[in-house]
Amino acid sequence: MLDSALAALASLADPSLLLMLVVGVLAGLVIGLVPGLGGTGAVAILLPVTFGMEPPQALALLIGALAVVHTSDTVAAVLLGAPGSASASVTMLDGYAMARNGQATRALSLSFLSSMAGGILGAVGLTLAIPLARPLVLSFGSPELFMLTVLGVALAAGLSRGNVAKGLVAGLLGLLLGTVGTSPTTAEYRFTFGSLFLGDGLSLVAVALGVFGLAEIASRAGQRRLPTGGEVQLSGGYRAGVREWLTHWAQVLRGSLIGIWAGVLPGVGATAGTWLAYGQAVATAKDKRKFGKGDPRGIVGPEGANNSVEAGDLIPTLLFGIPGGVPAAMLLGMLLTYGIQPGPAIVTDHLDLLYLIIWSFAIASVLGALLCFLGTRWLARITKVPFAVLGPGLVVVMLLGAYQESGQIGDLWVMIGLGALGWLLKATGFPRAPFLIGFVLAVPLERYYFLTDSVYEGSDWLTRPWVLVFLAVLVAPLVLAVVKRLRTRRRLDADDGHHRAPVEEEGELAGSIWSLATAAGMLGVFVVGWIAAGEFSADARLMPRLVCTAGAVMAAVLLATEVRRLRGRPADAAPLPGITSDVRVATSTFAWMSAFLALVVLGGYLAALLVFVPAFLLWAARVRPRTVVVYTVATGVLIALLPSLLPVDLPVGLLAF
């Protein structure tokens, strides 16, 4: 193992590897500044660039970006009070307060150093996990790997924020979408409806960028101005922050360890990890009065956690094939396309790549912090651009990225459709992480099941020790949830039901007629999928029908819950949201995207860009004409030069022939 680790470190002396790592770090720092993208956007945007690369170069690029997105997303949180990601909102509590008191650079230095330490400690945790988990991983067969895959989807749904039933439905919907295309066991087409385009299944990049990237653009496209509250200046001195950071090393260590633990648990993510780190900082402090008013302990703990979470995510992803979060799920998908199977295979056959990931993560964490110190003033300028102005450029980049995997315009239409679905899921309180994790794990889940079924007689495999352990882990949360609900109901009955606390859900349309319609729509999808699967052979329809049956049951339960909730609303309650301004903005944004894609089909990518970008900026973002001209020319030149700089192809329109 030591030889593999040293060989991986020596391989980073290769100029091509080092260049990809630096490019990944630079891209991750810039993407981290854009609200809503974070690690998911960084990996999804860069993933198409890796096509055609060797695995080491591809991994260096993606890990470089993933390691630093949470380093730069703090800049907007501290300077503007507008976090670049949800996890940075924790740092904003004390960081923005410190900046308003004239200590912005002090707050930034605390956050940069803590993020760097979190990344390094996360890499150390991943390193220690390899020798500890290796004997266990090598003892796993197909039954254990099948149960781990089931566990990954279930835990991602159960541990996600919001309604667990919604998380399970979203995860099952992702599994169903993952069965589209050729069956991994019978080589039979499923759910293609006669389309050759769907024969290879749906593109991972298109699904990820649609459900997360385009959905986020639609959610924020109405932001034409920066949040009010006053912009602060860079002041306070970096040296004071560095000296102060050294006095809080224990908080950094605790926060990083909490982040690793949160990363190992599928579906928890950086946001929950940073809040847990903040909570422990408050709980262990003797003087709690300064928290929220500029306390450095409220910065160093969460910032150590948000970077170590990403390293912790890689532990179950690489060693067990269970993605700990959305970026890790996309990384898993990339490894599978290269024929690298996480789990026992990667430990025995690709140990050098495993250590390359670790070294890349640690080096990128240091490099990212250094570049943030040197380039904070430049990075801060990006945070001052309203999202409506960033929107058209991001749409152009994301759609072009999705095109690179298959070279088919159909992927772009699928991406826009899934973007609308992603927006609806977010708005109605359905967690999107289980959806993508289910999509990525659909093929491994089916393959491991059939391997298990062909090797073992009947249900003999269920008696294997580790299978029983995984079953217990799978059932335990359900039992605890039932016990908790019964205790809560008894408590409410004792109080005559007068003190029922409202359930807080994410999404402005959660608990409304929109949420009801979404649950009904998902029930319809599972029913139609169950019926359509009847045309497949017995082996090919087994997994889709199992998924559709479970999905239909959960969607029916969810639909009944939504109906009861709407019927139980008090007569004097506030009116339910209908066609709100957010709905109108999202609808118009997807209409703009569809118009852009129609122009691409007719005239090609560059010509469509030169029409779409200025039109969107003038009518949707309401930008000054001079800015429109500069923005359009810069975007057009960049896209025109890309094919000569990177292995990128531009879609050609019908009129070009």
Side-chain angles (χ1 to χ4, degrees):
M1 295 181 70
L2 180 60
D3 292 340
S4 297
L6 294 176
L9 179 61
S11 68
L12 284 171
D14 182 347
S16 64
L17 268 180
L18 202 56
L19 176 62
M20 286 299 101
L21 182 62
V22 173
V23 170
V25 169
L26 292 173
L29 291 177
V30 174
I31 294 172
L33 296 169
V34 181
L37 295 185
T40 300
V43 176
I45 290 173
L46 294 176
L47 190 58
V49 181
T50 64
F51 301 143
M53 293 183 182
E54 292 297 319
Q57 282 78 8
L59 285 171
L61 179 69
L62 296 181
I63 295 298
L66 187 60
V68 300
V69 286
H70 292 304
T71 304
S72 64
D73 66 4
T74 312
V75 176
V78 171
L79 298 183
L80 299 175
S85 69
S87 63
S89 61
V90 187
T91 306
M92 182 184 69
L93 296 176
D94 288 282
Y96 187 54
M98 194 178 290
R100 293 296 298 270
N101 292 329
Q103 299 294 319
T105 53
R106 174 186 166 212
L108 289 174
S109 61
L110 287 168
S111 65
F112 294 157
L113 289 171
S114 299
S115 293
M116 178 189 71
I120 294 173
L121 290 171
V124 171
L126 181 55
T127 304
L128 295 176
I130 295 174
L132 292 176
R134 186 176 183 181
L136 177 64
V137 172
L138 294 178
S139 69
F140 284 175
S142 57
E144 288 81 7
L145 294 173
F146 168 70
M147 285 304 305
L148 275 172
T149 310
V150 174
L151 196 62
V153 179
L155 286 178
L159 295 176
S160 296
R161 290 179 299 161
N163 194 311
V164 174
K166 289 184 175 181
L168 290 173
V169 170
L172 290 165
L173 185 63
L175 281 173
L176 180 61
L177 201 67
T179 63
V180 173
T182 307
S183 168
T185 57
T186 64
E188 180 180 343
Y189 287 149
R190 299 183 301 195
F191 302 120
T192 59
F193 306 105
S195 170
L196 293 176
F197 160 69
L198 294 176
D200 293 330
L202 298 179
S203 161
L204 171 63
V205 178
V207 173
L209 281 176
V211 172
F212 287 91
L214 296 188
E216 202 64 39
I217 291 174
S219 298
R220 299 173 180 267
Q223 179 194 327
R224 299 192 183 103
R225 296 182 179 84
L226 292 173
T228 57
E231 177 188 336
V232 298
Q233 301 298 320
L234 286 170
S235 59
Y238 284 114
R239 293 183 179 179
V242 172
R243 288 194 298 268
E244 189 171 28
W245 178 80
L246 293 172
T247 65
H248 295 294
W249 63 270
Q251 287 289 353
V252 177
L253 179 61
R254 284 199 294 265
S256 300
L257 293 176
I258 289 173
I260 295 172
W261 172 77
V264 170
L265 295 177
V268 175
T271 303
T274 50
W275 278 111
L276 287 171
Y278 189 83
Q280 70 82 28
V282 175
T284 57
K286 294 181 180 179
D287 183 7
K288 302 177 175 58
R289 292 174 297 176
K290 293 184 179 180
F291 280 96
K293 301 176 182 178
D295 195 312
R297 293 169 296 180
I299 298 176
V300 296
E303 283 298 310
N306 62 18
N307 269 36
S308 62
V309 163
E310 302 298 346
D313 281 349
L314 297 176
I315 295 175
T317 303
L318 299 173
L319 298 180
F320 301 104
I322 301 178
V326 176
M330 288 186 284
L331 186 65
L332 174 62
M334 187 272 284
L335 290 173
L336 293 174
T337 61
Y338 279 106
I340 301 172
Q341 184 70 49
I346 199 171
V347 173
T348 56
D349 303 334
H350 303 284
L351 194 59
D352 55 336
L353 286 181
L354 205 54
Y355 281 110
L356 176 64
I357 290 172
I358 294 171
W359 284 115
S360 298
F361 202 98
I363 294 172
S365 297
V366 177
L367 184 59
L370 176 62
L371 291 175
C372 279
F373 273 113
L374 297 176
T376 299
R377 295 186 184 277
W378 294 96
L379 294 173
R381 294 182 181 181
I382 301 177
T383 66
K384 300 174 185 177
V385 181
F387 199 87
V389 178
L390 295 173
L394 291 173
V395 169
V396 169
V397 171
M398 289 180 181
L399 289 173
L400 183 60
Y403 178 77
Q404 303 311 306
E405 184 172 3
S406 65
Q408 299 189 69
I409 295 292
D411 277 338
L412 307 189
W413 288 111
V414 168
M415 182 174 163
I416 291 178
L418 290 174
L421 173 64
W423 176 85
L424 185 63
L425 292 177
K426 178 183 179 182
T428 53
F430 284 83
R432 292 172 291 171
F435 175 86
L436 187 63
I437 291 175
F439 175 79
V440 172
L441 292 179
V443 172
L445 177 73
E446 188 168 4
R447 183 181 293 119
Y448 289 140
Y449 175 77
F450 275 94
L451 282 173
T452 301
D453 186 60
S454 61
V455 172
Y456 293 88
E457 289 287 340
S459 58
D460 290 346
W461 60 275
L462 287 172
T463 60
R464 290 170 65 92
W466 280 109
V467 171
L468 293 174
V469 172
F470 297 144
L471 279 172
V473 174
L474 188 63
V475 173
L478 299 177
V479 175
L480 291 175
V482 171
V483 172
K484 184 178 180 180
R485 175 163 293 197
L486 290 174
R487 288 179 177 176
T488 303
R489 184 171 295 176
R490 289 174 183 173
R491 215 177 291 124
L492 291 172
D493 291 341
D495 294 337
D496 297 326
H498 294 306
H499 303 289
R500 185 182 298 270
V503 178
E504 183 179 346
E505 292 184 311
E506 182 184 10
E508 63 273 13
L509 301 179
S512 71
I513 192 68
W514 291 88
S515 188
L516 174 67
T518 304
M522 289 191 175
L523 176 60
V525 168
F526 287 120
V527 171
V528 171
W530 195 93
I531 296 172
E535 300 178 0
F536 311 148
S537 65
D539 287 342
R541 69 168 173 259
L542 177 61
M543 189 57 62
R545 280 204 159 172
L546 285 174
V547 172
C548 287
T549 300
V553 171
M554 292 305 305
V557 171
L558 188 59
L559 182 61
T561 303
E562 295 290 341
V563 170
R564 284 200 308 270
R565 179 177 299 171
L566 290 177
R567 285 182 176 177
R569 284 176 55 84
D572 57 347
L576 291 171
I579 307 298
T580 63
S581 60
D582 291 333
V583 175
R584 285 192 289 268
V585 168
T587 303
S588 63
T589 302
F590 285 116
W592 278 100
M593 295 178 191
S594 301
F596 171 58
L597 193 49
L599 290 173
V600 171
V601 173
L602 291 175
Y605 209 79
L606 192 58
L609 178 159
L610 296 176
V611 175
F612 165 72
V613 171
F616 188 94
L617 291 174
L618 286 172
W619 278 278
R622 298 177 186 174
V623 178
R624 292 180 298 177
R626 180 180 176 183
T627 304
V628 171
V629 173
V630 174
Y631 191 125
T632 304
V633 171
T635 306
V637 170
L638 175 63
I639 297 300
L641 291 177
L642 270 182
S644 61
L645 301 174
L646 296 170
V648 171
D649 295 322
L650 299 182
V652 179
L654 297 174
L655 300 180
F657 292 102

PDB file of all heavy atoms in Angstrom, residues 76-87:
ATOM      1  N   ALA A  76     -18.710  35.255  -0.907  1.00  0.00           N
ATOM      2  CA  ALA A  76     -19.971  35.989  -0.987  1.00  0.00           C
ATOM      3  C   ALA A  76     -20.682  36.014   0.365  1.00  0.00           C
ATOM      4  O   ALA A  76     -21.339  37.001   0.716  1.00  0.00           O
ATOM      5  CB  ALA A  76     -20.875  35.359  -2.045  1.00  0.00           C
ATOM      6  N   ALA A  77     -20.558  34.927   1.132  1.00  0.00           N
ATOM      7  CA  ALA A  77     -21.213  34.879   2.445  1.00  0.00           C
ATOM      8  C   ALA A  77     -20.650  35.935   3.379  1.00  0.00           C
ATOM      9  O   ALA A  77     -21.391  36.586   4.130  1.00  0.00           O
ATOM     10  CB  ALA A  77     -21.035  33.484   3.055  1.00  0.00           C
ATOM     11  N   VAL A  78     -19.339  36.137   3.333  1.00  0.00           N
ATOM     12  CA  VAL A  78     -18.700  37.100   4.233  1.00  0.00           C
ATOM     13  C   VAL A  78     -18.865  38.534   3.735  1.00  0.00           C
ATOM     14  O   VAL A  78     -19.183  39.444   4.513  1.00  0.00           O
ATOM     15  CB  VAL A  78     -17.206  36.754   4.393  1.00  0.00           C
ATOM     16  CG1 VAL A  78     -16.466  37.864   5.149  1.00  0.00           C
ATOM     17  CG2 VAL A  78     -17.045  35.427   5.136  1.00  0.00           C
ATOM     18  N   LEU A  79     -18.689  38.762   2.442  1.00  0.00           N
ATOM     19  CA  LEU A  79     -18.693  40.133   1.921  1.00  0.00           C
ATOM     20  C   LEU A  79     -20.086  40.671   1.623  1.00  0.00           C
ATOM     21  O   LEU A  79     -20.323  41.869   1.732  1.00  0.00           O
ATOM     22  CB  LEU A  79     -17.846  40.198   0.641  1.00  0.00           C
ATOM     23  CG  LEU A  79     -16.361  39.863   0.792  1.00  0.00           C
ATOM     24  CD1 LEU A  79     -15.648  40.037  -0.533  1.00  0.00           C
ATOM     25  CD2 LEU A  79     -15.713  40.732   1.865  1.00  0.00           C
ATOM     26  N   LEU A  80     -21.017  39.780   1.232  1.00  0.00           N
ATOM     27  CA  LEU A  80     -22.346  40.246   0.825  1.00  0.00           C
ATOM     28  C   LEU A  80     -23.465  39.728   1.715  1.00  0.00           C
ATOM     29  O   LEU A  80     -24.596  40.184   1.594  1.00  0.00           O
ATOM     30  CB  LEU A  80     -22.627  39.817  -0.626  1.00  0.00           C
ATOM     31  CG  LEU A  80     -21.690  40.362  -1.701  1.00  0.00           C
ATOM     32  CD1 LEU A  80     -22.051  39.743  -3.043  1.00  0.00           C
ATOM     33  CD2 LEU A  80     -21.786  41.873  -1.775  1.00  0.00           C
ATOM     34  N   GLY A  81     -23.173  38.751   2.551  1.00  0.00           N
ATOM     35  CA  GLY A  81     -24.250  38.127   3.315  1.00  0.00           C
ATOM     36  C   GLY A  81     -25.132  37.279   2.424  1.00  0.00           C
ATOM     37  O   GLY A  81     -26.287  37.015   2.755  1.00  0.00           O
ATOM     38  N   ALA A  82     -24.597  36.840   1.274  1.00  0.00           N
ATOM     39  CA  ALA A  82     -25.328  36.004   0.320  1.00  0.00           C
ATOM     40  C   ALA A  82     -24.465  34.790   0.022  1.00  0.00           C
ATOM     41  O   ALA A  82     -23.600  34.844  -0.852  1.00  0.00           O
ATOM     42  CB  ALA A  82     -25.622  36.778  -0.962  1.00  0.00           C
ATOM     43  N   PRO A  83     -24.635  33.679   0.729  1.00  0.00           N
ATOM     44  CA  PRO A  83     -23.732  32.532   0.586  1.00  0.00           C
ATOM     45  C   PRO A  83     -23.761  31.924  -0.798  1.00  0.00           C
ATOM     46  O   PRO A  83     -24.807  31.847  -1.441  1.00  0.00           O
ATOM     47  CB  PRO A  83     -24.248  31.541   1.639  1.00  0.00           C
ATOM     48  CG  PRO A  83     -25.671  31.949   1.886  1.00  0.00           C
ATOM     49  CD  PRO A  83     -25.709  33.433   1.696  1.00  0.00           C
ATOM     50  N   GLY A  84     -22.575  31.471  -1.268  1.00  0.00           N
ATOM     51  CA  GLY A  84     -22.495  30.820  -2.562  1.00  0.00           C
ATOM     52  C   GLY A  84     -23.114  29.438  -2.564  1.00  0.00           C
ATOM     53  O   GLY A  84     -23.437  28.908  -3.623  1.00  0.00           O
ATOM     54  N   SER A  85     -23.287  28.819  -1.409  1.00  0.00           N
ATOM     55  CA  SER A  85     -23.959  27.526  -1.303  1.00  0.00           C
ATOM     56  C   SER A  85     -24.683  27.473   0.032  1.00  0.00           C
ATOM     57  O   SER A  85     -24.469  28.318   0.912  1.00  0.00           O
ATOM     58  CB  SER A  85     -22.952  26.377  -1.407  1.00  0.00           C
ATOM     59  OG  SER A  85     -22.114  26.343  -0.269  1.00  0.00           O
ATOM     60  N   ALA A  86     -25.542  26.455   0.176  1.00  0.00           N
ATOM     61  CA  ALA A  86     -26.319  26.341   1.420  1.00  0.00           C
ATOM     62  C   ALA A  86     -25.415  26.131   2.624  1.00  0.00           C
ATOM     63  O   ALA A  86     -25.682  26.642   3.717  1.00  0.00           O
ATOM     64  CB  ALA A  86     -27.311  25.186   1.300  1.00  0.00           C
ATOM     65  N   SER A  87     -24.320  25.381   2.447  1.00  0.00           N
ATOM     66  CA  SER A  87     -23.430  25.126   3.577  1.00  0.00           C
ATOM     67  C   SER A  87     -22.723  26.399   4.043  1.00  0.00           C
ATOM     68  O   SER A  87     -22.397  26.543   5.222  1.00  0.00           O
ATOM     69  CB  SER A  87     -22.395  24.058   3.206  1.00  0.00           C
ATOM     70  OG  SER A  87     -21.569  24.506   2.152  1.00  0.00           O
TER      71      SER A  87
END
